[in-house]
Amino acid sequence: MSVGLRNLLFTAALAAVAAALGAWGGARYVVGARAPASLHETVHHKLDLSAEQERRIDALEGRFAVRRKALEADMRAANAELAAAIEASDGYSPQVQAAVDHFHHAMGALQKETIAHVFDMRAELTPAQAARFDAEVARTLTAEDK
């Protein structure tokens, strides 16, 4: 393979990776900026929580915030690994694959813990509150941007 063709293929692969990461980052920003605020507003302003429910849910949110920061730090570290692997590689090397796998693992862990947190909050609600909460979660998960 000629040097020019190899460089062109490497540049195209790098651009594809950058585009994918940019799309993921943009989607994460939109979801992070909109969905949690909507769910947070529903929980704290539309469900008529008792003082005890507020206290327990606030405690859950505090613990989750700490865990979320740690998981997000792991995702940033995986991105840094991916950047370094791409810079050091001429193609889709085992190091690039390992960095991609690390990122997917970190992202999956965050998603799983977020869903567990949603269920932890739901467990603090009355059946009527839980029904309204579930409807908001479903709306958030299926909402399409216009």
Side-chain angles (χ1 to χ4, degrees):
M1 179 183 312
S2 73
V3 173
L5 180 58
R6 186 180 63 183
N7 287 341
L8 177 65
L9 291 174
F10 177 73
T11 301
L14 186 59
V17 170
L21 289 174
W24 174 83
R28 190 170 183 296
Y29 173 78
V30 169
V31 170
R34 292 173 133 181
S38 176
L39 191 57
H40 181 84
E41 181 169 320
T42 296
V43 170
H44 290 284
H45 301 290
K46 296 181 180 176
L47 294 182
D48 301 318
L49 298 176
S50 69
E52 181 60 20
Q53 285 175 309
E54 284 278 1
R55 185 191 65 71
R56 289 191 309 254
I57 288 174
D58 284 346
L60 289 171
E61 288 177 331
R63 286 190 297 274
F64 178 67
V66 170
R67 185 65 185 134
R68 184 185 67 235
K69 285 183 187 218
L71 292 165
E72 288 172 344
D74 190 27
M75 288 173 56
R76 286 189 301 278
N79 271 338
E81 287 174 22
L82 180 57
I86 288 171
E87 285 180 334
S89 178
D90 284 337
Y92 200 71
S93 67
Q95 293 79 14
V96 170
Q97 179 62 51
V100 169
D101 289 345
H102 180 189
F103 180 80
H104 286 167
H105 176 70
M107 186 171 53
L110 176 59
Q111 185 176 33
K112 287 175 184 178
E113 293 210 25
T114 300
I115 297 302
H117 173 63
V118 167
F119 280 111
D120 288 345
M121 287 192 301
R122 185 180 189 273
E124 299 299 332
L125 304 175
T126 67
Q129 290 169 328
R132 289 170 56 199
F133 178 80
D134 291 349
E136 181 62 23
V137 169
R139 187 196 65 73
T140 300
L141 290 173
T142 59
E144 292 185 28
D145 286 336
K146 300 258 177 190

